[in-house]
Structure formats: structure tokens, C-alpha cells
Amino acid sequence: MSSFLVSRHRTLPGYVPGTHSEEADVIRLNTNESPYPPSKEVLEAIQEEAARLNYYNDPDCNDLRTALGSRHAVSPEWIMAGNGSDQILQLAFLAFADEQCPIYLPDVTYSYYDLFAALYHIPLVRIPLSEDYSLDPQRYANVPGMIVFPNPNAPTGLAVSREAIRKLAENSPEHVILVDEAYVDFGGETSIPLTREFPNLLVVRTFSKSGSLAGLRLGYCVGNPALIEELGRIRNAMDLYGVNRLAQAAGIAACRNWTYYEKNAERIMASRAYTTEKLRELGFTVLESKGNFVFARPGNCEAETLRKQLMERGLLVRHFAGERTEQYLRITIGTQQEMEHLVAALKDILKA
Ligand code: PMP
């Protein structure tokens, strides 16, 4: 560490991302990307927009917000776009939590939240999931701080109903409730309609999963215009042109032709059902996932050993250290062919 880093950041931990590989023969089932490419319309829109890259992009993302507004039946003032949903999450942490206003979140959840909180010195209070990893929103009712959880949760894949979130919101008007819907398009129930009733509810979404744009970085949130205006002011102070021209054009084109993405989500859900069934036949315990991944515990071998054995065969899956996660693997749902390849590899490994 250099002597120049200010004391505030000296304890910031590092982040361990999933293994990154660009090898053509590697099957990436470790970062919850979509195995399907962007639509033809999106690729054309990106190409066309590329010719205007000499001009700055619209910092307010007006056309994108209008397109998203039509998709979700809300007006554009209820939406803010960001450079990936990670940026939105970070802005929301900065805007609505601090040393005096902690964040309440599940003990097993998206690990990047920890890093944002560490960066901004926000205390975290972890509310344990039940024994079966389910999340009971009532356990967050009226906590003295901001509430954050993904729905469906990651890496478990378990979802909670909109009605359960409504009940939580009815009981918790004092602080912001952030519902991270990164994986909602794979069978979850969105809370976007509830934002009209609850001025403290913020729903965060991404184009990285069902929208096939992980590498372009595009996310957004939906909430009361007061929250959106405050988040927007902070975003503009940090990263005025954060949502680049190509991302805006791609997002607009994707919204106009969303049925392509709905079909892909259906294919992924069908392959998820196949994968769940085959893993169970192989002795795994598999949680009932509503995400584009499954959280699965092998019957009689160490999860981390199995991850390494799969990696030797060119199959990347994710393992998380920690008491409640170390026995499990998180396996992204790829194409049907990729999942059949995974099942065949597992059969082979487990036979030996
Ligand atoms: N939320 C959750 C729960 C996630 O798993 C991820 C991606 N790993 C994100 C947010 C961030 O997605 P992005 O920044 O690509 O929009």
C-alpha cells in the first residue's frame, strides 16, 4: 500500500469476481450472463449510434427513459438509468444510508453490497435467512435503517411475492426499501407497480441478465420522482455521462422488441427445469430458483472440489466461501446444449 492512500480507504477489502475467460471452448456458467446474444435490432442500433460517438450522450437519457416507461407503464420521471445496476446500487447506498442509517440485508446475498457499504463506511446489519434459505420480508419491518435485498435473492434464487413486499412497505415507511430485481424476468414478480403506493420503495433493474447486455453496462431504477431526482443529482455530480451513447441506443432498441428477450427467458426457464431435475437425480439438493441460475449442493462431495473438477473440463461455475454457502455451487443456466454438457460432465465426475 502506498503512503498516499487516505486513511478512510485503507481498510477497503478487495472483490473476488468470478473467473473470467474469453476462451471459445470454455462454458461460462459462473457469472449469470445470458447465453443468448443481443437481438438483431439492438446490434443494428449500436452500429448506427457508433457513427455519432464524437458527440456527448444525453446525460438525462430521455429517450431511453421514455422507452422504459412504455415497457413498465410508468412515466419517465419515475426512472433513472445508470452505468450498470451496480452504479445505481452504489448511488442509492450513498444517497439513502450513512453511518447513522445502516443497511439491513440478508446474511446470504449479493456480495457486492458489502463492498459499496465498506467504501462509504455504511454499517451493515445482516438478517439471517431461514434455515431453508427463504427470505421473510416481515423480519425487516420497521428496522431503523435502509432495507436492501434482491428479489429473487442471489445466490439462492428464491423469490418473495409482491404481496409480501407490499406488507413490508406498509409497515416500514421511515426508510428506503430497495428491491434489486436483477433476476426478476426469470419467473419472479416485479414490485414496480408498488412504487406508486410507497414513496420509499426503489426497484433496481439491469439489462445484464435477461437483456443480454452485461458487457455494455446498463441498469435503471424505478421509484417516486423525489427519490429519482435525488439520485440523479448525485449521479450527475459523479458521472454525468455515465450511460454512454451505445448503451442508450441498445436499451431503447431492446425495449421496442422485448418479445425476443421474453422468449430467451422462457428458454432459460425450461433449461433451468431440466438442470434442476437432472441435478436432483444426481443427488444434489437444489433450491427452487426463479433466477437464471441454480444454487445446488452436491450429495457426497465437496462443492469446491467439484468446481475445480468442472473447471478442468472447461466448465466454469461459482463457489462462495462462507458458512452458509460453501457447501453449494451456483450454476448459471446457459443454453440447453451447455446444460446437457454440464450434466454429462457431472455424471462422469461423480461416477469416478
Ligand atoms: N444485483 C445482483 C443481485 C446481481 O447479481 C448483479 C450482477 N452480478 C447485479 C446487481 C449487477 O448487475 P449489473 O451491474 O451488471 O447491472
Side-chain angles (χ1 to χ4, degrees):
M1 194 177 293
S2 82
S3 58
F4 306 112
L5 186 66
V6 294
S7 58
R8 196 174 163 75
H9 299 308
R10 285 185 170 258
T11 52
L12 186 67
Y15 182 70
V16 188
T19 308
H20 184 80
S21 170
E22 298 286 343
E23 302 286 321
D25 55 351
V26 161
I27 299 181
R28 305 162 57 120
L29 305 178
N30 64 335
T31 41
N32 293 350
E33 295 149 326
S34 172
Y36 302 111
S39 68
K40 182 168 69 57
E41 289 80 358
V42 164
L43 296 176
E44 281 166 7
I46 290 173
Q47 189 153 34
E48 211 176 289
E49 196 61 23
R52 286 188 284 276
L53 283 174
N54 50 315
Y55 296 119
Y56 280 111
N57 41 312
D58 171 11
D60 294 329
C61 304
N62 282 312
D63 292 347
L64 173 63
R65 287 160 64 215
T66 302
L68 283 166
S70 311
R71 195 180 135 209
H72 294 301
V74 297
S75 18
E77 322 82 86
W78 290 66
I79 301 173
M80 187 187 78
N83 187 343
S85 63
D86 281 339
Q87 183 182 47
I88 307 262
L89 293 166
Q90 208 178 130
L91 291 168
F93 278 32
L94 192 55
F96 306 122
D98 66 10
E99 276 97 336
Q100 280 73 50
C101 178
I103 288 176
Y104 288 76
L105 77 177
D107 60 337
V108 179
T109 195
Y110 181 35
S111 57
Y112 217 28
Y113 298 148
D114 283 52
L115 218 56
F116 301 147
L119 180 63
Y120 299 129
H121 294 259
I122 299 166
L124 293 178
V125 183
R126 294 175 212 276
I127 303 203
L129 298 175
S130 311
E131 191 75 16
D132 62 0
Y133 293 89
S134 60
L135 187 156
D136 177 5
Q138 276 316 107
R139 299 188 71 177
Y140 294 78
N142 248 324
V143 292
M146 182 180 177
I147 298 167
V148 175
F149 56 80
N151 185 33
N153 195 10
T156 64
L158 297 178
V160 297
S161 70
R162 186 189 302 149
E163 268 323 291
I165 291 179
R166 175 199 295 280
K167 261 198 217 134
L168 167 69
E170 279 167 356
N171 292 329
S172 318
E174 299 288 329
H175 298 281
V176 165
I177 303 172
L178 186 157
V179 181
D180 178 351
E181 293 191 350
Y183 301 105
V184 77
D185 288 334
F186 303 101
E189 228 182 342
T190 183
S191 292
I192 288 179
L194 299 180
T195 56
R196 245 175 265 154
E197 291 168 57
F198 302 104
N200 59 331
L201 181 63
L202 190 69
V203 176
V204 178
R205 306 279 292 238
T206 179
F207 276 91
S208 294
K209 314 295 174 185
S210 57
S212 295
L213 289 174
L216 193 59
R217 317 301 304 131
L218 182 60
Y220 59 100
C221 58
V222 182
N224 189 280
L227 297 184
I228 296 298
E229 192 276 326
E230 288 154 1
L231 284 171
R233 244 186 304 151
I234 299 178
R235 199 206 66 179
N236 290 351
M238 281 170 70
D239 190 15
L240 184 60
Y241 295 109
V243 188
N244 70 64
R245 234 172 219 289
L246 304 184
Q248 291 189 41
I252 294 164
C255 286
R256 287 188 184 145
N257 173 32
W258 193 252
T259 44
Y260 167 80
Y261 297 97
E262 279 169 352
K263 285 198 188 116
N264 287 343
E266 279 163 22
R267 286 153 88 184
I268 288 167
M269 288 189 276
S271 298
R272 180 179 69 204
Y274 162 85
T275 308
T276 303
E277 188 192 322
K278 292 295 171 193
L279 289 175
R280 285 182 181 154
E281 280 171 23
L282 288 169
F284 284 75
T285 301
V286 188
L287 302 195
E288 215 48 68
S289 175
K290 298 275 191 204
N292 64 339
F293 55 88
V294 289
F295 197 50
R297 192 181 72 205
N300 44 17
C301 62
E302 293 280 319
E304 173 59 3
T305 310
L306 190 53
R307 183 194 68 81
K308 287 188 191 137
Q309 287 169 313
L310 286 168
M311 192 161 86
E312 283 162 16
R313 290 161 191 255
L315 284 147
L316 302 181
V317 300
R318 194 81 198 265
H319 176 256
F320 297 97
E323 204 189 321
R324 297 193 77 186
T325 50
E326 67 192 3
Q327 297 175 331
Y328 284 76
L329 292 176
R330 191 198 66 190
I331 304 171
T332 303
I333 305 299
T335 61
Q336 180 61 24
Q337 205 188 3
E338 287 172 336
M339 302 326 285
E340 286 170 13
H341 193 91
L342 170 86
V343 169
L346 284 171
K347 275 188 186 155
D348 217 37
I349 294 168
L350 295 174
K351 198 168 61 194

